[in-house]
Amino acid sequence: MAEQVAVDSKWLLQQFRKVFGSHLKDEVWISEAPGRVNLIGEHTDYSGGFVFPVAIGHNVAIVFRPRADRIVRLYSCDYRQMSEFCLDEIQTSGDAPWSNFFRGVAWVLSDCEPPKRGLDAVISGDVPIGAGLSSSAAFEVASAFALLVAAGTDPTILNSFDSECGLKVRREIALACQKAENLFVGVSCGIMDQMASCIGRAGHGIYLDCRSLRHEPVRLGFDDADMKIVVYDTGIRRGLVDSEYNRRRQEVETGTKMISGILGQSEVHSLRDVELAAFEAVREMLPPKVARRCEHVVREIERVKDAVAALRQGALLGFANLMWESHESLRDLYEVSCPELDLAVKIACETRGVLGARMTGAGFGGCTVNLVQNDALHDFICALPGSPLRPGAYEPRAFVIDVVDGARVSVL
Ligand code: GLA
């Protein structure tokens, strides 16, 4: 089993001192934002549906020192590269594409009060990049926390999960980060990843309504049942995902328009508005591929509601069974799985003590998420392929994840 190595703040501070030098009187901060694993509710967020992600104990961390001017100097420890820009003229970088997530967030926040100030920062992370665990969202959220502190925002407000103020601020940050990714980086992601990184709670899944952004932490209770969440990274990285992702979005939009036309209901704005019975009545009138895509979304939204209800009743088996169904639907109807993901889910299905498994995230590679009894952990992890099944893939690895709180910022 792979070691879980969290970013070490002391090590990152040393890197900061090496790169930028620092006086003891300097106030140096760290902002940390977690990646996420979605337990159920895949490809539903951009249809205004429900999702059920958890924030995981793998972070992107930024050690930073606010500056008096509007210059931003970023050093990525993972890419070993510096990137610099001025807040008055924010453009995308072709040389350091990793910095575009930070630049995008700075660009979105530059319209907000208070006026932004620059900073010097070093960045590192232990969220595997491009593995479907939302390393980009984690970077965006950590960037927003850093920029807001540099601008003088009270860190106690940023760190709060208070329902009145703290959660409102976290929701605004998630929306700003999504806007940065959509408009600056150019990826039309939904809101799930940024929300999970902002509002995740230790030991809880986040039942999120992606239309209203109402959300509720639901206690998982897996530890009490001697179970763990295991993530298996197939080592397959995003290739065509972005274009396939956008194509799925278009197919779903086409389907939504057609369904709304057939039903003559102007109130159908997204598939969230289509009940299963209504969908079944119109399915035959849709082109087969569009029908498959829409069926996945309509049923997956129902599955999230059922899964959360099962969890609330302590029916863990019921919850886990919906994970298998979700995978089949993503494989056969939404067609976003790949052979490595399917094999990992098949192995999970054949291993005693694995209660549920499915692919998680956008798909076409990345990870599976598995609910596994403690006494089956060893057998399961040994049964999963340990070396790449196709050329060019990374080494696959499995790890047990912790479910943690969303982003935070503190003085070092
Ligand atoms: C990616 C996107 C999310 C969501 C998932 C699929 O992670 O960033 O918004 O659409 O894919 O559920």
Side-chain angles (χ1 to χ4, degrees):
M1 190 187 328
E3 278 285 291
Q4 191 166 316
V5 200
V7 183
D8 177 352
S9 55
K10 283 201 190 107
W11 174 82
L12 201 52
L13 180 59
Q14 273 168 16
Q15 302 308 304
F16 182 90
R17 294 208 165 112
K18 261 195 224 158
V19 177
F20 295 111
S22 119
H23 303 291
L24 285 179
K25 63 174 178 45
D26 283 348
E27 199 162 73
V28 181
W29 296 77
I30 183 166
S31 72
E32 294 165 280
R36 65 98 188 89
V37 170
N38 189 20
L39 297 182
I40 196 156
E42 216 63 80
H43 287 281
T44 54
D45 61 350
Y46 49 85
S47 287
F50 292 92
V51 292
F52 193 57
V54 299
I56 61 174
H58 290 247
N59 287 313
V60 171
I62 304 182
V63 165
F64 65 98
R65 174 181 58 194
R67 295 173 59 102
D69 58 15
R70 291 172 59 79
I71 300 295
V72 173
R73 293 193 294 172
L74 306 173
Y75 179 78
S76 162
C77 299
D78 303 331
Y79 292 96
R80 298 185 186 183
Q81 193 182 22
M82 182 76 104
S83 182
E84 185 173 327
F85 65 96
C86 174
L87 288 171
D88 296 322
E89 202 192 337
I90 307 176
Q91 283 167 358
T92 49
S93 163
D95 302 339
W98 56 267
S99 71
N100 288 332
F101 297 100
F102 193 106
R103 289 164 185 256
V105 174
W107 176 73
V108 171
L109 292 180
S110 56
D111 286 344
C112 313
E113 290 295 319
K116 297 296 156 300
R117 284 196 322 177
L119 47 79
D120 291 332
V122 294
I123 303 143
S124 185
D126 67 338
V127 188
I129 294 170
L133 300 177
S134 293
S135 56
S136 330
F139 185 22
E140 289 153 10
V141 172
S143 305
F145 272 60
L147 281 159
L148 289 168
V149 165
T153 308
D154 181 351
T156 46
I157 294 180
L158 291 172
N159 284 332
S160 161
F161 284 91
D162 188 280
S163 56
E164 285 296 305
C165 181
L167 288 178
K168 191 163 162 265
V169 170
R170 283 172 185 268
R171 201 178 56 200
E172 294 305 318
I173 292 175
L175 284 167
C177 292
Q178 183 202 18
K179 192 169 168 190
E181 186 147 348
N182 289 170
L183 302 183
F184 195 88
V185 181
V187 178
S188 20
C189 62
I191 189 63
M192 167 171 71
D193 307 344
Q194 291 80 4
M195 279 295 276
S197 187
C198 283
I199 60 166
R201 298 313 316 258
H204 291 72
I206 302 298
Y207 184 33
L208 171 66
D209 177 337
C210 296
R211 174 179 283 171
S212 66
L213 295 192
R214 269 198 294 270
H215 49 87
E216 217 180 308
V218 180
R219 193 172 168 275
L220 296 171
F222 296 158
D223 285 340
D224 298 345
D226 293 326
M227 280 165 30
K228 295 276 184 288
I229 301 173
V230 174
V231 163
Y232 173 67
D233 176 3
T234 59
I236 310 290
R237 292 294 177 259
R238 282 208 291 258
L240 293 172
V241 173
D242 294 346
S243 57
E244 285 294 338
Y245 184 88
N246 289 340
R247 190 169 309 153
R248 293 298 179 283
R249 285 194 71 143
Q250 276 162 16
E251 286 162 353
V252 159
E253 264 163 43
T254 306
T256 310
K257 282 198 192 114
M258 293 179 86
I259 294 171
S260 140
I262 299 168
L263 294 175
Q265 287 174 355
S266 54
E267 67 269 24
V268 173
H269 301 292
S270 68
L271 290 180
R272 160 75 177 276
D273 301 315
V274 182
E275 299 280 329
L276 186 54
F279 172 75
E280 277 172 348
V282 303
R283 184 207 323 240
E284 298 304 320
M285 290 173 244
L286 302 172
K289 193 197 269 181
V290 171
R292 286 200 300 277
R293 306 296 190 246
C294 294
E295 178 169 354
H296 165 74
V297 177
V298 171
R299 287 187 185 275
E300 183 80 353
I301 291 173
E302 285 306 308
R303 272 191 288 272
V304 182
K305 295 185 205 163
D306 293 346
V308 168
L311 203 57
R312 285 191 169 128
Q313 289 160 13
L316 294 183
L317 264 183
F319 179 90
N321 279 334
L322 291 159
M323 293 174 76
W324 304 114
E325 281 181 26
S326 169
H327 184 78
E328 279 165 23
S329 178
L330 288 157
R331 183 189 64 201
D332 302 337
L333 299 177
Y334 219 63
E335 297 177 275
V336 290
S337 189
C338 70
E340 288 83 352
L341 289 166
D342 292 339
L343 176 65
V345 171
K346 182 167 175 286
I347 292 171
C349 190
E350 288 164 355
T351 308
R352 188 201 54 82
V354 181
L355 272 62
R358 57 184 286 277
M359 55 151 277
T360 184
F364 303 101
C367 297
T368 63
V369 56
N370 307 268
L371 260 190
V372 187
Q373 282 170 348
N374 287 348
D375 57 9
L377 281 174
H378 178 77
D379 286 355
F380 176 49
I381 287 168
C382 290
L384 289 163
S387 41
L389 300 181
R390 65 171 107 166
Y394 290 86
E395 197 85 340
R397 58 190 197 119
F399 41 94
V400 172
I401 57 146
D402 293 328
V403 177
V404 304
D405 280 340
R408 62 193 171 277
V409 62
S410 53
V411 175
L412 274 177

